Amino acid sequence: MSMNRRSLIGAAGLALTTPALPGAQAAEAVKPAAKSAPPHVTKILAQWILSSSYDTLPEPVRREGVRSFLNWVGVAIGGSHHETVDVAVSALQPFSGPPQAGLFGRTERFDIMNAAFLNGVASHIFDFDDTHLKTIIHPAGPVASAILAYASMKPVSGKDFLDALVVGIEAECRIGNAVYPNHYDAGWHITGTAGVFGSAAAAGKLMGLTEQQMVYALGLAASQPVGLRESFGSMNKSFNPGRAASNGLFAAILAAKGFTSSDGMIEAKRGWANTISTKQDWSEITDGLGTRYEAQLNTYKPFACGIVMHPTIDAAIQIRDEDHVKPEDIKRVDLKVHPLVLELTGKTAPKTGLEGKFSIYHAAAVAFVEGAGGEKQFSDRAVNDPRVVALRQKIMPVVTPGIDAAQVDMTVTLNDGRTFHRFIEHAIGSVEKPMSDAQLEAKFTDLAAGVLPDAQAKRVMQLCWSLPELKDAGEVMRAGVQGA
């Protein structure tokens, strides 16, 4: 048998690197270790999605679903006139299809695909949306944006809408659990990459897909991962959940007409999980379906920035208010933090509000100066405030073993030598210290101020709270547009 040059080089290389072994033993040495076949998670998940109903959801899960929806509507209204949304609306308007759905806080109407995208962008631009702390997924944005656009075109009951919302959140968070943190560490923005499954599942549920069609919808979602962490601090970050919303809706619409995909797109050897992550824990997707709900672990931000900065803002506000510390009296602020804090929020000299959302230096400084961490504290104005800029130079974060990503150990040293200390184990807004309904309402009201008249904002909020009783969930969208 003849041997070409490539084969000869390969054989020579093998001979140089592999010790001589008896025949059978040598053959065994080069065989890859056998890997057990994964469960059919795509099909299992599709079956559960279709089996769920409002009546099967435990009451605490329904309640958290409503709170998630209320929070999402508030941040979508609040972000609706950000420059990012203005740019996107201007860019897409000439190419939009029929005016099927509205945008919160605005007058324009778009086809449902673009409406889903734009409301998704608006809801994430402030980085003030809900957070599933196990994966840092922002669950409601991709899901609610997709299904509210659909409900604007085809009426669905509030109960069916809430069931679809919970189902979508469950799908994206469970899939995210299966690959986190390896997938995230590789550079993927998991809200976009996992969120597309949530929007496809929820939209497909409302469309009444068959089991096979739902498998296809999840497969088509798997083919559309979107979002890289390099985009953080730019308009591109909010593009990711917006695109996940429209991509998932797109997948469900195609699947409803019989557009096929592989039956194992999540778990197959060359499927989603194996392609974009070195970790695949299938039990995170399949175990406890219908009894353990990730939606109950959803949290809501009191501060308009990356979640890893919340303990620092919480500690700074406590020291400022309770110990009566003035910014001009501070000599230095020492922070003991988890490595993820500097990895995600290490911008030392942010120039824009969006960059400030990823600066632990700015977050600490502005909390001491203004005693808050809302959207106003992450504006271009706040980032360039001379008092904040001066104090930023005195913030000293140090990665410290034993400090969790949800914690901070802060010591403030004053010019007169006095020191003040706070250790935050669980910041406000965490699962352990959740925001109350009253706090969520105050957040909603603050976000809507200046966008909608007070009476209109109050009506939208009341509709959100009464979501399960609504005959037509699209009423929330219609009530939330400008001029309604």
Side-chain angles (χ1 to χ4, degrees):
M1 180 180 69
S2 62
M3 180 177 289
N4 60 30
R5 184 172 183 271
R6 180 175 294 177
S7 301
L8 182 62
I9 292 172
L14 185 63
L16 289 171
T17 57
T18 307
L21 295 170
Q25 191 177 352
E28 190 66 30
V30 297
K31 283 177 62 178
K35 193 173 182 179
S36 58
H40 299 294
V41 297
T42 306
K43 186 172 183 179
I44 292 169
L45 189 58
Q47 290 171 338
W48 175 78
I49 290 167
L50 297 178
S51 70
S52 175
S53 70
Y54 176 83
D55 292 335
T56 65
L57 297 178
E59 179 54 36
V61 176
R62 295 178 192 169
R63 172 177 168 74
E64 217 52 61
V66 170
R67 280 163 51 87
S68 296
F69 184 62
L70 172 79
N71 184 79
W72 173 78
V73 172
V75 294
I77 292 172
S80 61
H81 287 273
H82 190 277
E83 178 191 6
T84 301
V85 182
D86 291 341
V87 169
V89 166
S90 175
L92 296 176
Q93 207 163 25
F95 308 102
S96 179
Q100 298 165 324
L103 306 179
F104 279 119
R106 303 184 68 101
T107 58
E108 299 92 347
R109 290 178 62 80
F110 282 80
D111 61 90
I112 62 170
M113 211 73 70
N114 279 310
F117 170 74
L118 290 164
N119 280 318
V121 169
S123 71
H124 191 62
I125 191 60
F126 283 172
D127 238 307
F128 217 176
D129 41 352
D130 56 333
T131 307
H132 177 255
L133 294 178
K134 286 170 64 177
T135 56
I136 327 184
I137 290 172
H138 303 288
V143 181
S145 302
I147 59 177
L148 196 54
Y150 178 77
S152 297
M153 181 188 73
K154 185 172 183 179
V156 299
S157 73
K159 288 183 178 180
D160 287 344
F161 185 95
L162 182 57
D163 177 45
L165 178 67
V166 170
V167 160
I169 288 174
E170 200 67 19
E172 65 186 328
C173 290
R174 281 176 171 268
I175 291 170
N177 285 344
V179 296
Y180 187 85
N182 303 40
H183 169 64
Y184 190 79
D185 290 345
W188 291 98
H189 185 193
I190 195 167
T191 297
T193 57
V196 65
F197 291 104
S199 55
K205 175 79 171 173
L206 290 180
M207 292 176 193
L209 300 189
T210 66
E211 181 183 316
Q212 182 62 70
Q213 288 170 337
M214 184 61 76
V215 168
Y216 291 158
L218 294 175
L220 293 168
S223 292
Q224 302 177 88
V226 61
L228 301 173
R229 282 169 53 193
E230 176 62 24
S231 67
F232 289 10
S234 72
M235 293 179 180
N236 191 165
K237 185 173 191 283
S238 60
F239 171 95
N240 301 336
R243 199 59 180 160
S246 56
N247 282 355
L249 184 56
F250 187 65
I253 289 171
L254 286 174
K257 292 295 186 180
F259 200 103
T260 68
S261 179
S262 162
D263 287 351
M265 281 289 281
I266 297 174
E267 72 275 10
K269 180 180 179 181
R270 294 178 179 84
W272 184 86
N274 281 305
T275 300
I276 63 175
S277 177
T278 55
K279 174 198 170 189
Q280 302 86 27
D281 185 349
W282 310 119
S283 67
E284 287 283 4
I285 300 177
T286 58
D287 286 3
L289 272 171
T291 57
R292 172 179 62 78
Y293 285 86
E294 297 297 316
Q296 282 188 270
L297 302 179
N298 208 10
T299 66
Y300 315 100
K301 292 182 176 183
F303 310 124
C305 59
I307 199 79
V308 294
M309 300 198 296
H310 287 207
T312 293
I313 297 173
D314 197 350
I317 293 174
Q318 286 187 31
I319 291 175
R320 177 189 189 271
D321 294 347
E322 296 171 11
D323 299 315
H324 310 292
V325 168
K326 297 179 180 179
E328 58 269 23
D329 294 334
I330 295 175
K331 181 178 181 180
R332 63 181 288 140
V333 179
D334 291 291
L335 305 176
K336 295 178 181 178
V337 299
H338 186 272
L340 199 60
V341 174
L342 289 182
E343 180 184 340
L344 292 176
T345 65
K347 294 182 184 292
T348 57
K351 301 299 183 186
T352 67
L354 288 180
E355 288 183 348
K357 293 175 182 290
F358 297 91
S359 171
I360 190 67
Y361 304 91
H362 172 73
V366 79
F368 279 112
V369 171
E370 301 191 5
E375 183 50 34
K376 295 179 180 66
Q377 284 68 51
F378 291 93
S379 61
D380 292 353
R381 186 272 312 165
V383 164
N384 293 290
D385 184 323
R387 297 172 301 164
V388 176
V389 173
L391 189 52
R392 271 198 320 242
Q393 316 304 316
K394 301 176 183 179
I395 310 301
M396 307 293 175
V398 176
V399 171
T400 306
I403 298 291
D404 187 77
Q407 300 173 338
V408 73
D409 192 310
M410 175 184 287
T411 300
V412 177
T413 303
L414 302 188
N415 294 323
D416 63 9
R418 287 182 295 156
T419 62
F420 298 93
H421 175 261
R422 288 293 188 285
F423 175 73
I424 301 296
E425 184 174 9
H426 303 294
I428 182 173
S430 62
V431 174
E432 294 78 9
K433 292 184 178 180
M435 292 182 72
S436 67
D437 289 353
Q439 288 172 323
L440 282 177
E441 288 190 350
K443 175 181 175 180
F444 186 107
T445 300
D446 183 61
L447 283 162
V451 180
L452 299 178
D454 292 348
Q456 184 182 357
K458 186 175 182 180
R459 169 161 170 71
V460 175
M461 185 161 57
Q462 290 171 339
L463 287 171
C464 291
W465 281 128
S466 60
L467 177 63
E469 284 74 54
L470 297 181
K471 293 182 179 179
D472 179 3
E475 186 179 352
V476 179
M477 183 75 258
R478 291 189 293 275
V481 301
Q482 245 179 9

